[in-house]
Amino acid sequence: GVTEWQVRVVERKAALGRIRSARDTLGSLRTLVESIPNMVVYDAIGRSVARAAALVVAGEEAWARGDFAAAVTNASTAQECAEAAFFDETMLSQLYFPDDHKMAVYVPFFVPVLLPIVLALAHEAQLALARPPPPPKIPPAAEPQPPTAAAATQ
């Protein structure tokens, strides 16, 4: 039969492998999110990542206590949560649309709108440059002041 120490060895290896796998998956997910600045991460994915991270910590704590069965359970669940977040369809769909593709899609929509605006601005600028400058304004002549009493006595 199988002895107790053999079961513990298998549990330790399984827990260690799953903890490493969950950590690697969470690290890859972080790298992915940091590499795509406009990536939207939905709340459900954030909760899954937070749960996976908490379970990794719980698995490591169980490992430190020598409770390898709990470590395997926590590490397995952490690995499942991390992979579910990494392979979520909303995350994967955003990987296939880099900025160049977005430009290729949106430019045909915006050029027909922007072209008349740019041409109208250029036309207005030409008209403004072609107009003669307005004549200088001549200040109105000062009205004569009535003589003062001091000026009349002289």
Side-chain angles (χ1 to χ4, degrees):
V2 178
T3 63
E4 180 69 27
W5 69 269
Q6 290 171 325
V7 172
R8 291 176 62 93
V9 167
V10 169
E11 286 177 339
R12 275 186 285 198
K13 286 183 180 180
L16 185 61
R18 290 185 177 130
I19 287 172
R20 283 184 182 156
S21 176
R23 281 186 166 276
D24 289 345
T25 303
L26 289 172
S28 297
L29 184 60
R30 187 185 80 216
T31 302
L32 172 70
V33 170
E34 289 174 350
S35 70
I36 302 174
N38 296 331
M39 179 177 268
V40 176
V41 179
Y42 293 104
D43 291 339
I45 296 169
R47 286 190 297 271
S48 183
V49 168
R51 183 166 186 247
L55 286 167
V56 165
V57 171
E60 290 171 343
E61 289 171 352
W63 170 275
R65 288 191 314 267
D67 186 0
F68 300 115
V72 168
T73 302
N74 288 331
S76 296
T77 308
Q79 183 181 11
E80 290 171 9
C81 290
E83 288 180 358
F86 188 81
F87 293 110
D88 187 271
E89 62 187 33
T90 60
M91 296 288 283
L92 292 176
S93 66
Q94 295 182 50
L95 293 178
Y96 299 109
F97 294 104
D99 290 337
D100 295 341
H101 291 178
K102 290 177 190 171
M103 290 296 291
V105 169
Y106 290 122
V107 165
F109 289 119
F110 292 124
V111 168
V113 172
L114 291 177
L115 190 61
I117 293 172
V118 170
L119 291 176
L121 287 173
H123 181 68
E124 287 297 321
Q126 282 180 338
L127 289 177
L129 293 174
R131 285 188 203 126
K137 291 186 178 179
I138 300 173
E143 293 184 21
Q145 298 293 327
T148 59
T153 57
Q154 289 180 359

